[in-house]
């Protein structure tokens, strides 16, 4: 991506937080009355310093990880498996709440302009999440001017708002309008100030997005990513500080039926076109911010599944080349959270800060270890930046966890603990299955080469799969007219994912039928295919082997295409597709193993003379 496109696309989450971050800060301080509100500017300045420190920290991450360095990768590489899983838990909590908070804030912007919809924010918000789900399952991606426009419109709206606010304040010599009378319900002290600091810090959500997407930039990618990150920090600081300044100058307080931004827009622009533009831009950029989570959440699940910490179904790409299973999990989780908290942004904020700053803390701590180990050029300067970012992020995380504990932070912390327990158990199960499947010297040998197939299908020459399913010829050989065993001509096709005990058992079963056998393996890349061929040769190359490339990790589609090709090439053959099946106990672990037989059987059912059978291997 060019920087001019990457900036709005990757900054939408961070910049849109200006719609609710300043309001969350002021709302907490309002509990202390006028004495509490007097701390709005000092607390905001502390958050601005935090933004600058964390922004500089992520510039170092981009330099160290030019191929993309999310919190999970950085923490795992430098701190170990458990901190990496904790970082992943924080990230996934962050992404779920990004969808919920962005939708709730977007609904608040809409209902501020159209108060009649206030009573329907929950069903409308769920409908918005459903639309995001449908769009992402169909392959909607953040690209081009279509997705850049809402962010640029929001930037223009906020700067216009701040500019008009400063102009009006200058007319009265920058004298602040008094806040409406408020009754203090909480004493002003360190606890209240730290609550406000933790709530206002949610304006930093999404600040790590650019460091995750470095490969998406044009060359030199890491330099362009760092430049884009710098511009994002400048914009975020300007918009956040400007909004807080205008809130203070105009004496605006959060209201249940109208957001702070809506009140400021009314005072600056009235109820005309510019007000509508501001509210529309706010709602659209929040919708775009929610959509950014649909890119990152499934990718983190993919990385976890690749490392054995999540079910392997999250490795699969859907028909539109998206991680559809991860997209559906995110939508369901975000909808549940949104409904559980009645679509209220103020209720969701306490959960938000915990996940965000937990991931920040572990990522930046991992970078400190990285620089200490590598001692690369300028490592001391980079270490200092990352150490500062890690320390300040840890302060916010601990503060949010303590002062927001009863307000909902306990739920986020409990979610992280349960996530750690679940992913650890999943990995332990996969390790147990891998040990049970591992080949050893006593393992049965790969069966010897069976009779040469009369069809020639198993000859070294590959059978090219058709681009699309070919229609049946309808000839006599294609009809299922055999009524005696002598008339049936067999070919056994054994699909194997790796050389292990289960695949050996399936090959042995196929050989025991005394019919021609063809082994088929699906690889995600040419490198994986070459490694499998080497393993096959090492074990003796006893049977013909076909390796199918599937760069998008699909298994059923390439197998179906290949078997269709075999069928249409020799319609007189009865093809038996043999699949090894891992059967695990207890039943709850079966969810971690996706049964291929059922899906393949449904896909091949329209073709005659195709038999699909499974050979179970019990673990």
């Amino acid at each position: 991506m060019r920087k001019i496109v990457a900036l709005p696309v990757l900054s939408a989450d961070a910049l849109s937080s200006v719609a609710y971050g300043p309001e969350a800060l002021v709302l907490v301080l309002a509990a202390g009355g006028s004495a509490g509100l007097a701390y709005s500017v000092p607390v905001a300045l502390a958050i601005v310093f935090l933004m600058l420190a964390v922004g500089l920290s992520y510039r170092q991450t981009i330099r160290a990880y030019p191929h993309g360095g999310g919190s999970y990768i950085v923490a795992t590489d430098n701190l170990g498996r458990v901190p990496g899983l904790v970082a992943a838990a924080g990230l996934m909590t962050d992404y779920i709440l990004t969808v919920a908070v962005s939708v709730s804030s977007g609904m608040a912007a809409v209902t501020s302009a159209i108060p009649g919809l206030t009573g329907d924010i929950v069903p409308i918000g769920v409908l918005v999440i459903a639309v995001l789900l449908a769009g992402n399952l169909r392959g909607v991606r953040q690209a081009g001017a279509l997705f850049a426009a809402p962010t640029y419109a929001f930037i223009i709206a906020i700067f216009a708002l701040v500019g008009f606010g400063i102009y009006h304040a200058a007319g009265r010599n920058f004298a602040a309008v008094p806040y409406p009378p408020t009754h203090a319900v909480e004493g002003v002290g360190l606890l209240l100030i730290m609550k406000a600091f933790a709530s206002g810090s949610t304006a930093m959500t999404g600040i790590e997005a650019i460091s995750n997407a470095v490969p998406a930039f044009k060359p030199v990618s890491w330099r362009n990513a760092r430049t884009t990150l710098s511009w994002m920090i400048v914009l975020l600081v300007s918009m956040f500080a400007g909004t807080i300044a205008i809130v203070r100058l105009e004496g605006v307080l959060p209201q249940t039926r109208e957001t702070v931004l809506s009140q400021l827009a009314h005072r600056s622009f009235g109820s005309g076109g510019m007000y509508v533009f501001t509210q529309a831009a706010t709602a659209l950029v929040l919708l775009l911010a929610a959509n950014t989570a649909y890119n990152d959440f499934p990718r983190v699940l993919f990385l976890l599944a690749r490392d054995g910490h999540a079910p392997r179904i999250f490795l699969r790409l859907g028909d539109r080349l998206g991680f559809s299973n991860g997209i559906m999990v995110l939508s369901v989780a975000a909808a549940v959270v949104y409904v559980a908290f009645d679509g209220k942004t103020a209720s969701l904020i306490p959960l938000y800060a915990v996940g965000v700053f937990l991931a920040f803390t572990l990522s930046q701590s991992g970078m400190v270890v990285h620089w200490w180990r590598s001692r690369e050029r300028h490592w001391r300067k980079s270490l200092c930046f990352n150490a500062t970012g890690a320390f300040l992020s840890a302060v916010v995380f601990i503060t949010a966890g303590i002062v927001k504990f009863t307000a909902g932070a306990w739920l986020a912390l409990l979610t992280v603990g349960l996530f750690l327990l679940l992913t650890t158990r999943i990995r332990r199960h996969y390790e147990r299955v891998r040990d049970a499947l591992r080949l050893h010297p006593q393992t049965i040998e790969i069966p010897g080469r069976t009779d040469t197939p009369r069809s020639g299908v198993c000859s070294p020459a590959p059978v090219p799969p058709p681009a699309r399913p070919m229609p049946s010829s309808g000839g006599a050989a294609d009809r299922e007219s055999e009524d005696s065993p002598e008339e049936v001509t067999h070919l056994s096709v054994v699909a194997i994912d790796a050389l292990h005990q289960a695949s050996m058992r399936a090959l042995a079963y196929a050989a025991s039928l005394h019919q021609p056998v063809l082994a088929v393996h699906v690889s995600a890349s040419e490198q994986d295919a070459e490694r499998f061929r080497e393993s096959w040769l090492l074990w003796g190359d006893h049977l013909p082997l076909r390796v199918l490339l599937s760069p998008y990790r699909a298994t059923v589609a390439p197998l179906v295409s290949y078997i269709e090709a075999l069928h249409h090439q020799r319609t007189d053959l009865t093809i038996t597709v043999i699949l090894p099946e891992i059967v695990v106990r207890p039943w709850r672990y079966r969810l971690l193993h996706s049964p291929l037989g059922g899906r393949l059987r449904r896909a091949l059912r329209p073709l005659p003379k195709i038999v699909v059978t499974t050979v179970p291997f019990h673990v």
Side-chain angles (χ1 to χ4, degrees), residues 409-475:
W410 66 270
L411 182 58
L413 294 171
L414 178 63
T415 301
V416 171
L418 291 175
F419 178 87
L420 184 60
L421 176 64
L422 180 62
T423 52
T424 303
R425 293 286 295 271
I426 289 174
R427 182 181 176 88
R428 189 179 303 137
H429 168 75
Y430 280 136
E431 288 175 345
R432 181 168 62 87
V433 171
R434 187 172 62 247
D435 291 341
L437 293 175
R438 183 176 291 120
L439 296 176
H440 47 75
Q442 291 77 31
T443 302
I444 183 173
E445 292 184 0
I446 294 178
R449 188 180 294 273
T450 53
D451 297 337
T452 302
R454 286 166 286 174
S455 65
V457 172
C458 294
S459 62
V463 180
R468 62 185 64 183
M470 298 174 60
S472 176
S473 63

Side-chain angles (χ1 to χ4, degrees), residues 125-145:
V126 172
L127 179 62
V128 169
I129 294 174
V131 170
L132 289 171
L133 168 63
N136 281 276
L137 287 178
R138 289 186 59 82
V140 172
R141 285 292 176 265
Q142 294 178 341

Side-chain angles (χ1 to χ4, degrees), residues 65-131:
Y65 285 84
H67 300 295
S71 297
Y72 172 66
I73 294 175
V74 174
T76 302
D77 285 353
N78 299 288
L79 301 178
R81 183 187 302 168
V82 173
L85 289 174
V86 175
L91 276 177
M92 295 175 72
T93 303
D94 175 20
Y95 295 140
I96 292 170
L97 287 167
T98 292
V99 176
V101 171
S102 296
V103 171
S104 66
S105 293
M107 289 306 305
V110 170
T111 55
S112 294
I114 312 174
L117 297 176
T118 302
D120 299 317
I121 60 171
V122 173
I124 295 175
V126 172
L127 179 62
V128 169
I129 294 174
V131 170

Side-chain angles (χ1 to χ4, degrees), residues 196-248:
F197 179 69
S199 294
S201 295
T202 55
M204 294 175 55
T205 58
I207 207 170
E208 80 289 351
I210 292 176
S211 67
N212 294 340
V214 178
F217 285 83
K218 285 189 172 183
V220 177
S221 58
W222 68 270
R223 262 198 203 120
N224 289 329
R226 287 183 64 162
T227 302
T228 305
L229 176 63
S230 299
W231 276 108
M232 183 188 77
I233 296 300
V234 169
L235 286 171
L236 179 60
V237 166
S238 303
M239 294 164 68
F240 178 83
T243 302
I244 287 291
I246 300 306
V247 167
R248 180 68 188 90

